[in-house]
Amino acid sequence: MPTVAIDRNAQGLARVKICGLREAEDIAAAVEAGARYVGFVFFAKSPRHLEITEARTLAQDVEPGIAKVGLVVNPTDELLTEILDAVPLDMIQLHGSETPERVTEIRTKFGLPVMKAVGVADAADLPKIAEYEAVADQILLDAKPPKEAELPGGNGLSFDWRLIAGRTWEKPWMLAGGLTPENVAEAILLTGARQVDVSSGVESAPGVKDSEKIRAFVHAARQGSDGA
């Protein structure tokens, strides 16, 4: 099965994922700033949703070495087949209520690394991390959405980072949830995260990325990992 390498540069800088990209210029800004992952959202309720034909065009122009991640929510096999037949993705991000068994099924059937999002609100949510770590290639720790929320992520909410301070896992993991250029350095310093994910925190409006905020976020992540 293909893997996505989690290498670091000489300074050990955190790897950044910019998710919910919809415009070629924003992808270019992310890559130029130093992001190592670009994320495409396939979820109709999201303001960041892309049609498959749009994602195909954008993904084909991403330079080699940048991981292209497709975010899906409780996807059917039919939807995944339709996406992967058209879009050259490197990783599937599962951001719904997929069970560990479903994660294994998708990973086996489609032959791509799988990142599973785990929602965190309090300490009672932490045991789920080990359950998904056993079956996924990477774990994304995100703020658990409110019960009334329509979106499983991208809500601009964070969780208490102290819950995971000093914790380690065998699989690569990524910190998400309410990260911004203003707080990402603090989040990295507190949690020791070597990978961070941002979507709404680099937007000027829902679904509208801001290139300056993207650059500021990647710069701040570097500062945080320099001090970690």
Side-chain angles (χ1 to χ4, degrees):
M1 176 176 293
T3 59
V4 175
I6 310 301
D7 61 320
R8 303 174 188 167
N9 60 22
Q11 290 74 39
L13 301 181
R15 293 167 58 95
V16 173
K17 175 173 172 278
I18 308 294
C19 194
L21 291 161
R22 303 182 72 245
E23 302 292 342
E25 55 265 35
D26 296 327
I27 295 174
V31 172
E32 181 183 358
R36 304 307 299 164
Y37 299 82
V38 293
F40 305 116
V41 174
F42 302 96
F43 184 56
K45 292 182 179 180
S46 172
R48 303 163 190 99
H49 172 68
L50 279 174
E51 297 297 334
I52 292 174
T53 52
E54 296 175 305
R56 177 189 177 107
T57 299
L58 292 172
Q60 286 176 334
D61 290 335
V62 176
E63 66 181 63
I66 305 300
K68 301 177 292 296
V69 183
L71 184 157
V72 287
V73 178
N74 301 320
T76 63
D77 285 356
E78 290 74 19
L79 175 61
L80 286 170
T81 297
E82 186 179 1
I83 292 170
L84 295 174
D85 280 350
V87 187
L89 296 177
D90 301 301
M91 178 177 283
I92 299 167
Q93 179 178 332
L94 298 176
H95 217 103
S97 56
E98 301 89 1
T99 64
E101 293 76 17
R102 179 60 174 151
V103 173
T104 298
E105 187 177 60
I106 289 172
R107 187 172 179 266
T108 301
K109 181 166 185 174
F110 293 97
L112 283 180
V114 171
M115 178 188 295
K116 178 66 180 88
V118 178
V120 177
D122 53 44
D125 295 313
L126 299 182
K128 292 185 299 184
I129 299 172
E131 296 177 24
Y132 285 105
E133 184 187 22
V135 294
D137 296 277
Q138 294 202 42
I139 298 297
L140 184 141
L141 302 183
D142 199 0
K144 182 183 286 187
K147 290 183 179 179
E148 68 278 7
E150 289 194 350
L151 303 180
N155 294 297
L157 302 175
S158 61
F159 63 92
D160 186 350
W161 298 323
R162 292 172 296 181
L163 290 169
I164 61 171
R167 293 177 179 264
T168 58
W169 292 276
E170 291 184 7
K171 296 284 182 67
W173 63 278
M174 189 174 288
L175 180 65
L179 296 177
T180 67
E182 292 73 32
N183 67 16
V184 66
E186 176 189 2
I188 290 171
L189 287 169
L190 183 59
T191 66
R194 304 312 306 167
Q195 303 193 101
V196 289
D197 180 26
V198 65
S199 186
S200 62
V202 291
E203 292 180 345
S204 57
V208 181
K209 291 293 186 283
D210 183 308
S211 295
E212 287 304 316
K213 289 184 178 181
I214 289 173
R215 284 187 277 268
F217 185 90
V218 177
H219 178 72
R222 287 175 174 165
Q223 289 185 312
S225 53
D226 275 343

